[in-house]
mmCIF file of all heavy atoms in Angstrom:
data_model
loop_
_atom_site.group_PDB
_atom_site.id
_atom_site.type_symbol
_atom_site.label_atom_id
_atom_site.label_comp_id
_atom_site.label_asym_id
_atom_site.label_seq_id
_atom_site.Cartn_x
_atom_site.Cartn_y
_atom_site.Cartn_z
ATOM 1 N N LYS A 222 4.856 68.581 7.982
ATOM 2 C CA LYS A 222 3.402 68.730 7.875
ATOM 3 C C LYS A 222 2.840 68.804 9.284
ATOM 4 O O LYS A 222 2.841 67.807 10.012
ATOM 5 C CB LYS A 222 2.805 67.552 7.107
ATOM 6 C CG LYS A 222 3.258 67.488 5.654
ATOM 7 C CD LYS A 222 2.753 66.236 4.950
ATOM 8 C CE LYS A 222 3.528 65.005 5.380
ATOM 9 N NZ LYS A 222 3.132 63.787 4.632
ATOM 10 N N LEU A 223 2.385 69.988 9.681
ATOM 11 C CA LEU A 223 1.879 70.185 11.034
ATOM 12 C C LEU A 223 0.550 70.934 10.978
ATOM 13 O O LEU A 223 0.483 72.070 10.502
ATOM 14 C CB LEU A 223 2.888 70.967 11.880
ATOM 15 C CG LEU A 223 2.625 71.043 13.390
ATOM 16 C CD1 LEU A 223 3.936 71.331 14.140
ATOM 17 C CD2 LEU A 223 1.602 72.121 13.757
ATOM 18 N N ASP A 224 -0.498 70.279 11.443
ATOM 19 C CA ASP A 224 -1.800 70.914 11.571
ATOM 20 C C ASP A 224 -2.010 71.263 13.039
ATOM 21 O O ASP A 224 -2.107 70.376 13.895
ATOM 22 C CB ASP A 224 -2.923 69.987 11.097
ATOM 23 C CG ASP A 224 -2.929 69.814 9.592
ATOM 24 O OD1 ASP A 224 -2.455 70.728 8.897
ATOM 25 O OD2 ASP A 224 -3.397 68.771 9.106
ATOM 26 N N ALA A 225 -2.059 72.556 13.337
ATOM 27 C CA ALA A 225 -2.253 73.027 14.707
ATOM 28 C C ALA A 225 -3.711 73.422 14.910
ATOM 29 O O ALA A 225 -4.350 73.961 14.000
ATOM 30 C CB ALA A 225 -1.349 74.221 14.986
ATOM 31 N N SER A 226 -4.214 73.164 16.091
ATOM 32 C CA SER A 226 -5.584 73.545 16.401
ATOM 33 C C SER A 226 -5.727 73.753 17.901
ATOM 34 O O SER A 226 -4.878 73.340 18.694
ATOM 35 C CB SER A 226 -6.578 72.482 15.911
ATOM 36 O OG SER A 226 -6.251 71.205 16.410
ATOM 37 N N ASP A 227 -6.805 74.422 18.285
ATOM 38 C CA ASP A 227 -7.122 74.569 19.696
ATOM 39 C C ASP A 227 -8.623 74.761 19.856
ATOM 40 O O ASP A 227 -9.351 74.914 18.866
ATOM 41 C CB ASP A 227 -6.335 75.722 20.337
ATOM 42 C CG ASP A 227 -6.745 77.100 19.828
ATOM 43 O OD1 ASP A 227 -7.649 77.191 18.981
ATOM 44 O OD2 ASP A 227 -6.152 78.101 20.277
ATOM 45 N N ALA A 228 -9.068 74.731 21.099
ATOM 46 C CA ALA A 228 -10.478 74.939 21.415
ATOM 47 C C ALA A 228 -10.550 75.701 22.731
ATOM 48 O O ALA A 228 -10.764 75.120 23.790
ATOM 49 C CB ALA A 228 -11.219 73.606 21.513
ATOM 50 N N PRO A 229 -10.321 77.018 22.698
ATOM 51 C CA PRO A 229 -10.338 77.806 23.925
ATOM 52 C C PRO A 229 -11.733 77.848 24.536
ATOM 53 O O PRO A 229 -12.730 77.639 23.855
ATOM 54 C CB PRO A 229 -9.881 79.193 23.468
ATOM 55 C CG PRO A 229 -10.235 79.247 22.013
ATOM 56 C CD PRO A 229 -10.065 77.852 21.509
ATOM 57 N N GLY A 230 -11.759 78.147 25.828
ATOM 58 C CA GLY A 230 -13.041 78.204 26.508
ATOM 59 C C GLY A 230 -13.441 76.862 27.069
ATOM 60 O O GLY A 230 -12.586 76.049 27.452
ATOM 61 N N PRO A 231 -14.729 76.568 27.129
ATOM 62 C CA PRO A 231 -15.221 75.343 27.782
ATOM 63 C C PRO A 231 -14.632 74.048 27.224
ATOM 64 O O PRO A 231 -14.458 73.079 27.955
ATOM 65 C CB PRO A 231 -16.738 75.407 27.547
ATOM 66 C CG PRO A 231 -17.036 76.868 27.413
ATOM 67 C CD PRO A 231 -15.845 77.446 26.700
ATOM 68 N N ALA A 232 -14.323 74.014 25.926
ATOM 69 C CA ALA A 232 -13.766 72.786 25.349
ATOM 70 C C ALA A 232 -12.380 72.485 25.922
ATOM 71 O O ALA A 232 -11.950 71.327 25.940
ATOM 72 C CB ALA A 232 -13.697 72.898 23.829
ATOM 73 N N ASN A 233 -11.640 73.514 26.317
ATOM 74 C CA ASN A 233 -10.449 73.355 27.155
ATOM 75 C C ASN A 233 -9.283 72.641 26.481
ATOM 76 O O ASN A 233 -8.529 71.923 27.112
ATOM 77 C CB ASN A 233 -10.826 72.615 28.453
ATOM 78 C CG ASN A 233 -9.842 72.860 29.574
ATOM 79 O OD1 ASN A 233 -9.448 73.991 29.825
ATOM 80 N ND2 ASN A 233 -9.445 71.795 30.243
ATOM 81 N N VAL A 234 -9.110 72.831 25.179
ATOM 82 C CA VAL A 234 -7.930 72.311 24.491
ATOM 83 C C VAL A 234 -7.024 73.489 24.170
ATOM 84 O O VAL A 234 -7.330 74.321 23.317
ATOM 85 C CB VAL A 234 -8.298 71.559 23.200
ATOM 86 C CG1 VAL A 234 -7.039 71.060 22.500
ATOM 87 C CG2 VAL A 234 -9.224 70.396 23.501
ATOM 88 N N ALA A 235 -5.908 73.574 24.888
ATOM 89 C CA ALA A 235 -5.005 74.713 24.716
ATOM 90 C C ALA A 235 -4.186 74.597 23.438
ATOM 91 O O ALA A 235 -3.849 75.610 22.813
ATOM 92 C CB ALA A 235 -4.073 74.828 25.917
ATOM 93 N N TRP A 236 -3.841 73.371 23.049
ATOM 94 C CA TRP A 236 -2.974 73.186 21.879
ATOM 95 C C TRP A 236 -3.038 71.737 21.436
ATOM 96 O O TRP A 236 -2.926 70.809 22.243
ATOM 97 C CB TRP A 236 -1.532 73.547 22.225
ATOM 98 C CG TRP A 236 -0.507 73.257 21.158
ATOM 99 C CD1 TRP A 236 0.396 72.228 21.134
ATOM 100 C CD2 TRP A 236 -0.268 74.014 19.967
ATOM 101 N NE1 TRP A 236 1.184 72.304 20.009
ATOM 102 C CE2 TRP A 236 0.803 73.391 19.270
ATOM 103 C CE3 TRP A 236 -0.842 75.163 19.426
ATOM 104 C CZ2 TRP A 236 1.286 73.882 18.065
ATOM 105 C CZ3 TRP A 236 -0.349 75.649 18.217
ATOM 106 C CH2 TRP A 236 0.706 75.015 17.549
ATOM 107 N N LEU A 237 -3.226 71.531 20.142
ATOM 108 C CA LEU A 237 -3.143 70.202 19.540
ATOM 109 C C LEU A 237 -2.233 70.304 18.327
ATOM 110 O O LEU A 237 -2.496 71.096 17.417
ATOM 111 C CB LEU A 237 -4.524 69.680 19.157
ATOM 112 C CG LEU A 237 -4.589 68.219 18.670
ATOM 113 C CD1 LEU A 237 -5.963 67.599 18.966
ATOM 114 C CD2 LEU A 237 -4.288 68.082 17.173
ATOM 115 N N SER A 238 -1.185 69.514 18.325
ATOM 116 C CA SER A 238 -0.242 69.488 17.205
ATOM 117 C C SER A 238 -0.277 68.116 16.555
ATOM 118 O O SER A 238 0.098 67.111 17.155
ATOM 119 C CB SER A 238 1.180 69.791 17.692
ATOM 120 O OG SER A 238 2.119 69.584 16.647
ATOM 121 N N ASP A 239 -0.733 68.083 15.310
ATOM 122 C CA ASP A 239 -0.785 66.867 14.492
ATOM 123 C C ASP A 239 0.380 66.974 13.504
ATOM 124 O O ASP A 239 0.295 67.644 12.483
ATOM 125 C CB ASP A 239 -2.144 66.823 13.784
ATOM 126 C CG ASP A 239 -2.260 65.681 12.788
ATOM 127 O OD1 ASP A 239 -1.370 64.809 12.743
ATOM 128 O OD2 ASP A 239 -3.256 65.666 12.026
ATOM 129 N N LEU A 240 1.481 66.315 13.853
ATOM 130 C CA LEU A 240 2.744 66.498 13.141
ATOM 131 C C LEU A 240 3.178 65.224 12.433
ATOM 132 O O LEU A 240 3.127 64.144 13.012
ATOM 133 C CB LEU A 240 3.829 66.936 14.142
ATOM 134 C CG LEU A 240 5.279 66.961 13.669
ATOM 135 C CD1 LEU A 240 5.488 68.006 12.574
ATOM 136 C CD2 LEU A 240 6.217 67.238 14.847
#
Side-chain angles (χ1 to χ4, degrees):
K222 295 175 285 185
L223 191 157
D224 288 333
S226 54
D227 68 0
N233 202 46
V234 179
W236 173 256
L237 187 152
S238 172
D239 174 9
L240 170 65

